[in-house]
Each structure stands twice: as C-alpha cells, then as structure tokens.
Amino acid sequence: MPADRELHLGLMFWATGTHQAGWRHPDASPDAAYDIDLIQEVSRTAERAKLDFVFLGDRLACDPSLQHSNPAQISRLEPFAAAAAIAAATTHIGVVVTANPTYSDPYGVARNLASLDHVSGGRAAWNLVTGADAAAALNYSREQHWDTQKRYEWAEETLQIARKLWDSGDEPINHRSEHFQVDGPLGLPRPPSGHVVLLNAGTSDQARELGARQADMVFAGPQPTLAKRKEYYADIKARAARYGREDHVTVVPGLTPIVAPTTEEAVALHDHLNSLILLDPEVEASELVRAGGIGEGFKRNLTSASEAFGVDVRGNDLAAVVPVEVLARVSEDGQRRLAEITRLTRRTAGTITYADLVHGTPQQLSHVVVGDPEEIADEIQLWFEERMADGFNIYPAYVPGSVTAFTELVVPVLQQRGLFRKDYRGRTLRDHLGLEVPARG
C-alpha cells in the first residue's frame, strides 16, 4: 500500500437497514428511525471503530409504495436535528447531513451547516444532492420537478453563496444574480472547518463534474463490473486533476458487508435476510403510489426474473432447484447475474434455486459482499489497491446488529493489515480526510 494513501470508512445510517428486509431481522430495531438513544449508540459504535463519519441521508417526499422494497426511504428524522444529537453524543466522528438546494434557500443551508460545524467542533459535512424525487415538488408548492440542468445550476450557485457567507465574517456579501439576492453576513463566526466538508454523489456527467471540481468526497453508485468500477474511479480522478484536485477528492462507493465468524454462517445470514423479504405479486395489485414516486424497476418475483435472466421461469416453486439446462439458456446479462448469485451464495448450477433468481433480479443499492472477516477485508483491500475506491460508505443490512458485526469483526482485520487507522489523528473531519482548512476567500 502506498504510504501516502489511507483507507476511509463511513457508516450510512438507514435506521431500518439497507437490506430490503433488514428491519425484520431479530437483531434489528424496526423503530430505530425515531429512537435517538439508539442512533447515538450506533454512532458511538462507529466512533469506537475510528470510522471517518456517520452519514444521514434524506428524502423530501414519502412514497408508500416503498413499504416492502425500501422502508428506510419512507420516513426518518430531519437530518440536521439527528446530526446535532449525534454530535452531542460523540467527540471525533464526522457527521454528514443531506441538504437539497433544489428545495432550500442558500442562506438557510449555509447557516444550518455552519451551526452544525460549530456544535460538532469541525465535524460537519454536507451531502449536496439535487433531488431524485419528482414527488418532492408536490410538497414545495411546485407543479413539477426542475430538469437536471436547472437543478445543477441552482446547486452550484447555492454552494458559491454558502462559501461566501462562511467567509464573510461581519461583512455583507451582497450577492446578486438571476436566482438569488443575498445580502449577508451570516451572523456566525467562520466554521471551524472553514468551508464545511462537501460530499456529492451521482453518475451523470453533471454530477461527476461537480464532484471533481468542488467536492471533498464523491460517493460512487453501484457499478456492475470490475472494469466499470475502475473506469468510474479513473474518470473522477482525471476530471479532478484538470482542476489540480486529484489528491483532494476521496472516492467512496457503497458496500454492504454480510459478515459472520465463518463463511457458512455469513451465507446462512444472507439467505435468512432474503427469506424475510415480502415478495411482489406476479400480477401487480392496485395500490396507492405517490405521483412522481421512485418505486420503479424490476420487481422481486418470477415475472421480473424471467425478463432479467432472459428465460421464462414463471410458475415454478421458489424452493426448487433450477435445472441446469434452463440456466444454460440465460441471456448475457443473465450470466452476469448468475455469477453474482454464486459469489454471494456459493451455490452453482445444480444448486441455484428459483428464489435465488428472484433475489438476484432487482438492482442492489450498493455492492454486497458475503463472507467471514478475512473475506470481507480481502474485498475492501482489492478495491483499494486496484484503484476502484479510496474507501467505502458502509451500508449496514440491519441496525444495530450488522454495524456491530462490521466494527468488531472486519475493522480489526483492516487495522492488522495496516489499511485502516487504529486511532484518530485529530478531532475534525478534515483531519480524518487529510484536508487543510481552506484559506478565507
């Protein structure tokens, strides 16, 4: 490992877990979204393991159609309120909040972030998103969601104004443009971070360019192949290099580790989680779906599996083994999906079931890896050394059990290999990321 590179790890806090049925696991807390004591304890667990940050996502619309596919995305605490509680219960770990400038004003965003940075002693970070939910417009007195170009223009100017306000001291900024008229000053001292650490995610050209030019950390979305993971990483670094920022931008994909003391136990845990999933009916029943909702894509049933694998598997018993001759007829994309099933379940042709096909159909939220602590650490080390990632945003399958498992089983292995810190070198998020406080603009 190069001496000047250090692995970074954060925790994506979705209270019901990032696995579709994580909330149903016996070691999960299904009401964790509103249990501030548990949220604080999970954050302390991450801090004891010396993780860089706890990440709080957000959505600005409630979509009831997600109740069986992604319950963590239906309802949660407002992130600044939760972040302040986390900051009060911890001393070192960074706290990332999601704030959407499409539905916020620059002065309010800048003030909230600066306040959080002061409250936390320089541990705040801003996950800047432009909004995936068209339904959010209906909560903010708009008839429709803005197009991508307008959202990114709005976001970039919001960021520009926020940084001006953070630097303003007691001087007005008198910002004037087509979209905004902001006098300032902010009414707060400059944040301890100078400029609050900025995170950005997305795979579009606009998202990649914004991340490379402005972000301190880029969240990489799931990529289906090793080649595409390398390509994404190289593209972000190349774009950042054009702005003299190649060593400044940290790339962290999402990773869901299903870990247990042995491989067999980990596979059993993965199978158990999948067995708890409420499958979609083969014929969609009429249900309330919010206008502009995000519950689209492949369903978890044999009809969708038939389309995804390119072979008709409808009408079969889910527990039955898929005949080898059926698997031999799957499409090219189906072959990739079969390889993923084998990677996760260790089952091969002759033992793969129809249920495996169903669970291998929808797109995963993040890269899933199943195994013992050494196997999970091997995967992390491979991505790090092969320049596919500078670290990972850990997506726990269920909370709090899988957070504890990762921090107690995997992190010590990474520390023993010299890949991850054994202690913090400072108290701020910029310290953890190796970033200087920027000069006042």
Side-chain angles (χ1 to χ4, degrees), residues 62-85:
C62 181
D63 187 352
S65 69
L66 299 176
Q67 61 184 306
H68 294 155
S69 63
N70 203 341
Q73 294 285 54
I74 294 179
S75 179
R76 68 184 91 191
L77 291 174
E78 190 281 322
F80 280 98

Side-chain angles (χ1 to χ4, degrees), residues 156-176:
E156 292 244 24
E157 191 171 354
T158 296
L159 175 61
Q160 176 190 1
I161 293 169
R163 286 174 170 170
K164 282 184 179 181
L165 287 166
W166 294 333
D167 286 344
S168 65
D170 58 1
E171 297 294 327
I173 66 169
N174 296 321
H175 182 96
R176 296 291 183 271

Side-chain angles (χ1 to χ4, degrees), residues 221-229 333 336 340 363 367:
Q223 303 291 333
T225 65
L226 184 146
K228 287 189 177 295
R229 293 164 200 152
D333 185 58
R336 180 188 64 79
E340 279 292 285
Q363 181 180 353
H367 184 70

Side-chain angles (χ1 to χ4, degrees), residues 160-359:
Q160 176 190 1
I161 293 169
R163 286 174 170 170
K164 282 184 179 181
L165 287 166
W166 294 333
D167 286 344
S168 65
D170 58 1
E171 297 294 327
I173 66 169
N174 296 321
H175 182 96
R176 296 291 183 271
S177 72
E178 177 186 354
H179 301 308
F180 301 111
Q181 294 80 46
V182 182
D183 283 358
L186 192 59
L188 288 169
R190 194 176 194 234
S193 299
H195 295 167
V196 171
V197 169
L198 184 72
L199 297 91
N200 181 243
T203 57
S204 69
D205 185 72
Q206 293 99 324
R208 294 183 189 211
E209 194 65 15
L210 176 61
R213 188 173 65 256
Q214 300 283 12
D216 303 300
M217 189 174 293
V218 170
F219 288 131
Q223 303 291 333
T225 65
L226 184 146
K228 287 189 177 295
R229 293 164 200 152
K230 286 188 175 183
E231 178 186 345
Y232 180 91
Y233 181 92
D235 181 56
I236 294 295
K237 294 292 184 176
R239 290 173 188 248
R242 292 200 292 268
Y243 301 103
R245 309 181 73 245
E246 181 179 4
D247 296 329
H248 187 102
V249 180
T250 301
V251 179
V252 284
L255 182 74
T256 300
I258 309 294
V259 62
T262 68
T263 303
E264 293 75 18
E265 290 172 297
V267 170
L269 172 58
H270 180 250
D271 287 342
H272 179 55
L273 283 165
N274 284 342
S275 75
L276 297 175
I277 294 174
L278 299 175
L279 301 183
D280 296 299
E282 296 298 334
V283 177
E284 279 296 311
S286 175
E287 63 176 340
L288 175 63
V289 178
R290 171 132 193 194
I294 59 174
E296 301 174 350
F298 282 132
K299 301 298 182 183
R300 206 172 287 259
N301 56 30
L302 287 170
T303 301
S304 283
S306 298
E307 183 179 348
F309 286 87
V311 60
D312 190 355
V313 295
R314 291 173 296 177
N316 288 284
D317 180 359
L318 292 176
V321 171
V322 184
V324 174
E325 58 269 23
V326 173
L327 297 180
R329 300 199 306 270
V330 301
S331 63
E332 183 177 349
D333 185 58
Q335 292 172 8
R336 180 188 64 79
R337 291 173 181 272
L338 287 178
E340 279 292 285
I341 289 172
T342 296
R343 182 180 68 83
L344 296 173
T345 68
R346 283 29 174 213
R347 290 187 282 276
T348 57
T351 59
I352 290 175
T353 68
Y354 287 101
D356 290 332
L357 300 187
V358 167
H359 296 312

